[in-house]
Amino acid sequence: RGDGVQVQRPVRLGAVQGFDGVAIDASAAHQRTDNYRKNNAFKQSRFNGGVQFNGGFGRLSLRADIARQDQRFAGSLNEAEFLANPRQTKTPDDFGKMDSDRYTAAWERKVGAFDLAAELAHRTKDVEATYFGSKSVYDSKQTQFSPRVRHLAQFDGLLNELVAGFDFGRWNRVTHSDYSAADATQRS
């Protein structure tokens, strides 16, 4: 919840390795602070990692990006409250948090003068917050598939590029809230 002492604790790690047509990378970080005021703590963690394969099939990559955030909300003070105690909180139960996960698979291959590519991505995001005793929660999911073809050719002494592709997507949000029922779905 934060005790009004400003202390920061960041940590970061990262690694990259490649061998025989395979590359692996990963990084992680964590940050935490209690901040200056009571009920004003913040913490965040993330992980990013991927693997890439190169071979006769082209290049295939898989990736994960994961993030977690938690924030306490100290709320506003009027001048008299600030002068009495600038570190106090008037909203000791207010907070917000977010969890986000994104997974991606991508493929590329060159066939003559054509570059073929496709990417499939899925993301989930879960958010929860409480403001002045009112709770709001929403969960969203998004999936996207994007195939592409690119052609390079000389025409009249100039290099020309033609790219064609599609983006297919589906997004869905479900809301559980004291003040809204704003569920939504979109396809494209």
Side-chain angles (χ1 to χ4, degrees):
R1 287 187 172 240
D3 58 6
V5 177
Q6 186 154 351
V7 176
Q8 293 192 18
R9 300 173 201 96
V11 176
R12 291 180 190 88
L13 302 168
V16 177
Q17 179 65 50
F19 53 91
D20 296 328
V22 177
I24 299 171
D25 70 277
S27 66
H30 181 76
Q31 178 183 7
R32 182 182 186 133
T33 180
D34 287 331
N35 285 317
Y36 178 74
R37 293 183 57 201
K38 292 189 180 290
N39 195 46
N40 201 26
F42 171 79
K43 65 181 175 182
Q44 167 176 276
S45 299
R46 70 162 183 79
F47 169 80
N48 306 90
V51 61
Q52 180 175 293
F53 305 94
N54 289 305
F57 54 84
R59 181 171 61 180
L60 175 67
S61 62
L62 304 171
R63 177 148 216 86
D65 301 294
I66 299 167
R68 303 289 181 262
Q69 243 181 26
D70 188 0
Q71 171 78 52
R72 307 297 298 185
F73 301 134
S76 62
L77 301 175
N78 64 36
E79 184 179 11
E81 292 166 337
F82 178 81
L83 292 173
N85 180 0
R87 293 183 179 207
Q88 71 176 306
T89 181
K90 302 302 272 183
T91 56
D93 297 322
D94 285 6
F95 74 94
K97 67 180 184 175
M98 180 191 72
D99 296 342
S100 176
D101 299 334
R102 179 178 168 89
Y103 303 98
T104 307
W107 170 79
E108 297 176 9
R109 181 166 185 194
K110 187 166 185 66
V111 179
F114 292 92
D115 293 326
L116 308 174
E119 180 177 281
L120 176 64
H122 181 74
R123 178 181 181 192
T124 61
K125 184 162 80 168
D126 302 325
V127 176
E128 180 180 349
T130 297
Y131 304 102
F132 303 106
S134 180
K135 187 173 183 177
S136 177
V137 177
Y138 79 81
D139 305 314
S140 67
K141 294 181 173 123
Q142 178 180 351
T143 302
Q144 182 170 326
F145 177 63
S146 301
R148 300 266 186 274
V149 62
R150 183 177 89 150
H151 182 261
L152 293 175
Q154 289 284 339
F155 181 74
D156 201 22
L158 298 173
L159 182 62
N160 290 279
E161 176 182 41
L162 175 66
V163 177
F166 298 96
D167 291 321
F168 302 100
R170 183 179 194 282
W171 173 81
N172 184 49
R173 173 178 161 154
V174 177
T175 304
H176 309 280
S177 171
D178 294 342
Y179 55 87
S180 174
D183 294 351
T185 298
Q186 177 180 336
R187 292 174 195 246
S188 58

